[in-house]
Each structure stands twice: as C-alpha cells, then as structure tokens.
Amino acid sequence: MSLFRDNIERMEGYVPGEQPQDEGIIKLNTNENPFPPSPKVLAAVKEAAGTGLRLYPEPMATEVRKKAAEVFGTCPERVLVGNGSDELLGIITRAFAGPGDKVVFPYPTYLLYKVLVDIQDARVVEVNFGEDFSLPEDIVVEGAKVTFLCNPNSPSGTMVWPDEVARLAKRVDGALVIDEAYVDFADANCLSLVEDNPNVIILRTLSKSYSLAGLRLGLCIAQEEVINGLIRVKDSYNVNRLSMAAAVAALDDQQHLKENVNKIREIRSYLSESLREMGFFVYPSQANFVFVRCKDVTAAGEIYELLRRQNILIRHINYRGLEDCVRISVGTKAEIDTMLDAMSELLCETEKGAGK
Ligand SMILES: *Cc1c(COP(=O)(O)O)cnc(C)c1O
C-alpha cells in the first residue's frame, strides 16, 4: 500500500533540463543567460553575507517589493516576491485550484504547469496552440479556476500580443496568469493589464534577463486583493537575505539589464538567420532561445546527440507533434559559432537535419 495520495502516486514529476556541473560545456539547454549579472549584485551579496544571517529574513521582502514597484511603475502592495517564479506558480496553483477544478493552458508550453495541477489533483485542460502558435479559441473554458499563458511561450519562443491577451483577460473565468519569464527579451509586455483586470497575475523572474538563475528570485504583480490572498498561502520566510540584497541591486541596475538584453537580441537574430540559411525552419523568437524545426524526428535526435558528443547541450524535448524540433538557448557569439560550425559539419556529412 502506498503512503501517497492517489494523484501523487499516478503523476509524473517535473524533469528539469540537464544541469551538468563540470566546466567546459557549452550549455544551451535551459535558457540561462550567458553573460554575468550586474557587478553590483555580487557586492550586495557580499555585504549581506557579512551581517544578519543569524536572523530570519524580513517576511515580505519589502525592499525588493519597493524596488520592483519602482521599476514596474506600480505600488509595492501590488508586488509579491518569491523564491523563483516557480515558487510563485506553486503558490498560485495551491491558492486557486483544488481537487477536480479546471486549470487551462495551451499546448505545448512550460511543463511545470501540469505538474503543479497534478499535485492539487485538479483537472488539466490542455488546448492546442494554432500551427503558428496563435492563441486557440477554446482557451476560454467555462468554470476554469486558472488559465496559464506563458508569454513569450516556451518552447516556441513566440508571443501573443498584449491587445489579444487583454481581450482574453475579459473572457476567461478565474485567474489569468501571464508568465512573463522571457518578456524582457520581447518587443512588448502585458504589465499594464493589471490595472483594469482584477483577475490578471503577471509573473517575472530574475533568472533569465538578469542572469540570476542560481539566485532564485521571482516577482508577481497583481491587484492588492490578489497579492494579499497569495500572502496567506506562501511560506513566511520564502526569500532569503542574500537573494533579497541581490535582487534590489539587480533591479536597481536597469542600465546593465538593457545592455545584456540588447546583446542577447542581437545574437538571437544572428542565430535565427544562420539556421535559416542552413535550411531550418526557425520560429520567430521573442525570447532568449530559438525553436527550430529539423527535417524529421531522426534528424532532430541526431543533431542533439552530435552536439552533445562535442560538449554542446541543446534541448530535444519530445513534445507530441513537435518531435522534429529542438530548442536552443542564445549563448555568447563564440558559443553560437561553435555550435553552428558543429551543425554544418553534420549537415555536410549526412545531408540530414535541415532540408526544409
Ligand atoms: C525559467 C522559467 C520560469 C522559472 O523561473 P524561476 O524564477 O527560475 O523559477 C518560469 N516560467 C517559465 C516559462 C520559465 O521558462
């Protein structure tokens, strides 16, 4: 007999991308930022480490709330700080969805949503994106408690534009959670929707555009009533002292963010164009990765394996119907050139891979 609840016994956990800890690997598989964070972050962490670790952190991360509010042009009461936006996604799911409740998201998207819903023993309602990753009409589900929209979406890198998301916000039942993990790399964002929509919850993270995946710092922006409800669900001390100090410093250095993002966007164009010249279909990306269609499933697998043998990691996730696709994070120009060279060698040898 199992110790676990039936739904936990039945479910599959989230499988994170490979995180090899050895040096010398070109890591283009989990959308980390290839550039270092603001130097002000390290200084702030050092200072914070020197004092106060004996004491619990301030429960609401008030300094981070204030700084984030300043950056987002809102008030601190509309911001909640989390131990990564993954934690905030968990808090939201726990707060809104119980056994049997409907939680909606498009397919394919961030795989964690399904795991969180399964833990709640809530009901997953997956609706397929359009061929071009446009929003499907049936994303509006009667009685939904939560609708997740990863925007820009992973793994596709595509974006649903704010005017369309605004219409969606008015039509969905329950909360509309807009996961903007990659939005700093995009041409637009949905932050302003919070003002008119009490059901809209925006999620941001310092993991991607601020180069702080190792720090675990996420931000949630919503109307005060929503934030106050989520506070009841969160752990008291969910954000540690070092992360708080780092987050304030990172958010304060908007110049660093801008330069970082500009570099990534430039390399993203270069990467997309180079792959297209090699014959691949590359989806238009608004994120720090590109989603690439290969000739077929075998070709996608071969490209992944070949690069892996040369210590270059990309992602080949078997999304149903997209088994011929790989996802490649934007690295430094040098990393991307190394990868492109390795890929063209394979294509020459086998005449496989691209061919579209
Ligand atoms: C990376 C990512 C997150 C996780 O962010 P953390 O702040 O590192 O937990 C959330 N959502 C999506 C879509 C992501 O890609």
Side-chain angles (χ1 to χ4, degrees), residues 17 20 24 31 57 99 137 166 213 217 227 237-238 248 258 271 302 305 321:
N31 302 338
E137 189 53 36
L217 203 297
I227 297 292
Y237 308 113
N238 61 326
V248 171
K258 214 163 122 190
L271 171 61
E302 275 180 4
E305 282 298 337

Side-chain angles (χ1 to χ4, degrees), residues 94-116:
R94 277 188 283 147
F96 295 132
D101 287 339
K102 284 187 261 187
V103 179
V104 186
F105 44 86
Y107 178 87
T109 192
Y110 190 33
L111 296 167
L112 182 67
Y113 305 147
K114 177 173 165 28
V115 175
L116 296 174

Side-chain angles (χ1 to χ4, degrees), residues 21 27 123 137 142 172-173 175 192 305 330:
Q21 300 296 317
K27 210 171 162 298
R123 189 152 28 122
E137 189 53 36
E142 206 185 317
V172 291
D173 283 346
S192 68
E305 282 298 337
V330 175

Side-chain angles (χ1 to χ4, degrees), residues 85-106:
S85 54
D86 282 353
E87 188 205 21
L88 294 166
L89 284 164
I91 292 172
I92 290 165
T93 313
R94 277 188 283 147
F96 295 132
D101 287 339
K102 284 187 261 187
V103 179
V104 186
F105 44 86

Side-chain angles (χ1 to χ4, degrees), residues 58 60-72 76 79-82 206 217-219 239-249 251:
E58 198 269 301
M60 284 309 303
T62 302
E63 292 309 310
V64 185
R65 277 182 118 183
K66 281 190 199 156
K67 185 52 76 180
E70 197 183 301
V71 170
F72 298 141
V79 178
L80 180 64
V81 189
L206 301 197
L217 203 297
L219 297 161
V239 182
N240 70 73
R241 282 172 172 271
L242 303 185
S243 295
M244 280 185 207
V248 171
L251 289 165

